[in-house]
Amino acid sequence: MKAAVMRAPNQPLSIEDVTISKPGPREVLVRLKAVGVCHSDVHFWDGAFPAELPVILGHESAGVVEQVGSMVSAVKPGDHVVSILSPFCGSCEFCLSGHMSVCHTVNRDFFNREEGAEPRLSAGGKPVNQFLNLSSFAEQILVHENTLCAIDPEMPMDRAALIGCGVITGVGSVFHAAQVEPGSTVAVVGCGGVGLSTINGAAIAGASRIIAVDLADEKLAMAKKFGATDFVNPKNGDPVLQVKELTGGGVHYSFECIGLKQTAEQAYMMLRPRGVSTIIGMIPPGVNIEVPGIELLVTEKRLQGAVMGSNRFRIDFPRLIELYKQDRLHLDDLVSDRIGLEGITGALQNLKDNKGTVARQVVVFD
């Protein structure tokens, strides 16, 4: 199969012939139809987060099941599926208590092949590392069955792929992690693909005011399509003061969707007493967030994280697709461009350059 291989940080991805193994027990081979290019991929491509090289990046994908290994029960050949980077084992404390999105961080080895087994991916007879259990910048993926969710075959693949990361991260954080209440006020810091999905989720949840915060006026204009009611550009002054002036003291919920120390701290300071701030952006390793300790005590403001929208993806994905069919989840407006495999490096660069018109660039396979 053809795949875009990363062999060095900040260098163009190499389009290569890569060998993919046959499905083993509980493994599924999927022929991909669409893959979103996510800012999380950029963090590994530019070296902000460590990656074992060589590696095939990509993690936001949809396709059709080609083969299944023994003991697979979740999907069958011919099924249309969406992948996720947070698979679940189904038997650990986190899965059994309804927090399956955390499972992959504590049970990482469960989803890999046994030590000494043939690698899932190789090139020139040498192993190629699998990224986040997926490696979706390729024509095929070979994954554990608990990485996949079967979906309605009528769902367009280029929009279905987006549900697997950016959309579930944003909407899921609203529904599951923060549990936004109808009539409440929300601030979303960062209006990329995840931020726009967070805004969309807040609108579906019934928030009365949704304040979009971004340095790019183009992204603020896009945010209006997804349900934002108010708009703050930090170039016009302190964003915390602007949000507090708009709301008369702060919001009930804030979401940080960039992954920076400064914006995470600002999101917390935008809260009213007893507000909840949820960090969605990927804060780089070694970076600490500082907030006034006394505020945690006397105002009962809360600061929390949410990985992959605290999802229960086999329940969430079909529901999100139904919301899309009802024109409530605006996936069509998320797609900024459709590209081929050879366009991934340019797409990553567009995200790194923070181009204001880019939400999601999607690789589409014939």
Side-chain angles (χ1 to χ4, degrees):
M1 68 169 182
K2 295 291 184 181
V5 181
M6 174 181 166
R7 295 193 173 274
N10 269 320
Q11 297 298 312
L13 301 184
S14 174
I15 307 302
E16 302 180 19
D17 288 313
V18 173
T19 300
I20 190 164
S21 184
K22 298 293 184 182
R26 302 202 70 183
E27 289 184 335
V28 180
L29 181 67
V30 180
R31 172 73 58 178
L32 295 184
K33 297 297 183 182
V35 183
V37 182
C38 176
H39 216 115
S40 298
D41 297 308
V42 177
H43 293 316
F44 290 89
W45 175 63
D46 68 8
F49 282 72
E52 293 186 56
L53 303 177
V55 65
I56 299 170
L57 300 177
H59 61 279
E60 192 177 72
S61 51
V64 179
V65 174
E66 285 195 326
Q67 295 179 351
V68 299
S70 62
M71 300 189 292
V72 170
S73 60
V75 296
K76 62 185 184 303
D79 280 352
H80 289 213
V81 293
V82 173
S83 67
I84 198 165
L85 64 84
S86 57
F88 64 97
C89 72
S91 59
C92 71
E93 170 190 352
F94 300 100
C95 289
L96 294 177
S97 60
H99 303 290
M100 54 191 283
S101 61
V102 181
C103 175
H104 73 289
T105 65
V106 293
N107 298 308
R108 191 175 307 277
D109 290 342
F110 178 87
F111 308 103
N112 298 327
R113 287 190 159 179
E114 294 182 0
E115 188 174 349
E118 179 184 71
R120 286 175 176 156
L121 302 168
S122 59
K126 296 182 179 180
V128 175
N129 289 291
Q130 189 173 36
F131 179 66
L132 300 178
N133 305 299
L134 292 168
S135 286
S136 298
F137 288 164
E139 294 176 328
Q140 295 170 296
I141 55 173
L142 179 62
V143 297
H144 191 281
E145 65 171 322
N146 285 357
T147 301
L148 302 172
C149 175
I151 63 167
D152 181 349
E154 298 300 317
M155 180 67 184
M157 287 289 192
D158 58 344
R159 268 116 328 154
L162 306 184
I163 291 173
C165 180
V167 173
I168 190 59
T169 296
V171 178
S173 295
V174 170
F175 292 171
H176 302 316
Q179 298 181 348
V180 170
E181 295 183 349
S184 61
T185 54
V186 172
V188 178
V189 182
C191 296
V194 171
L196 294 174
S197 295
T198 306
I199 290 168
N200 200 166
I204 295 170
S208 61
R209 296 187 75 174
I210 305 170
I211 304 169
V213 183
D214 203 284
L215 287 166
D217 288 331
E218 300 94 334
K219 289 187 177 179
L220 293 176
M222 291 174 65
K224 186 173 184 179
K225 298 179 182 179
F226 290 82
T229 60
D230 299 89
F231 310 91
V232 166
N233 190 325
K235 292 178 182 177
N236 299 326
D238 185 340
V240 174
L241 294 179
Q242 290 188 67
V243 168
K244 289 191 170 182
E245 287 174 2
L246 283 169
T247 57
V251 293
H252 295 96
Y253 305 93
S254 67
F255 297 87
E256 197 278 349
C257 305
I258 303 172
L260 298 175
K261 172 182 171 64
Q262 180 183 17
T263 49
E265 293 168 358
Q266 289 172 337
Y268 176 82
M269 297 307 296
M270 291 173 184
L271 296 174
R272 66 193 303 125
R274 287 199 54 78
V276 179
S277 182
T278 305
I279 306 303
I280 303 175
M282 291 179 64
I283 306 289
V287 174
N288 296 323
I289 300 171
E290 299 175 86
V291 298
I294 191 66
E295 287 211 9
L296 291 169
L297 175 65
V298 301
T299 68
E300 295 192 7
K301 295 178 182 178
R302 285 171 286 165
L303 179 65
Q304 65 177 6
V307 60
M308 295 300 294
S310 301
N311 71 80
R312 309 86 40 89
F313 70 92
R314 286 192 180 150
I315 297 173
D316 295 333
F317 286 4
R319 291 179 179 179
L320 292 174
I321 288 172
E322 187 59 36
L323 288 171
Y324 168 74
K325 291 179 180 177
Q326 296 174 10
D327 295 325
R328 298 170 67 190
L329 188 65
H330 305 309
L331 301 181
D332 295 346
D333 293 322
L334 269 181
V335 180
S336 305
D337 195 13
R338 293 173 176 83
I339 60 175
L341 198 62
E342 68 285 349
I344 293 177
T345 300
L348 292 169
Q349 190 65 52
N350 287 339
L351 290 173
K352 185 176 180 179
D353 294 342
N354 197 27
K355 290 193 174 180
T357 57
V358 173
R360 265 302 186 269
Q361 302 157 101
V362 182
V363 179
V364 179
F365 297 98
D366 294 333

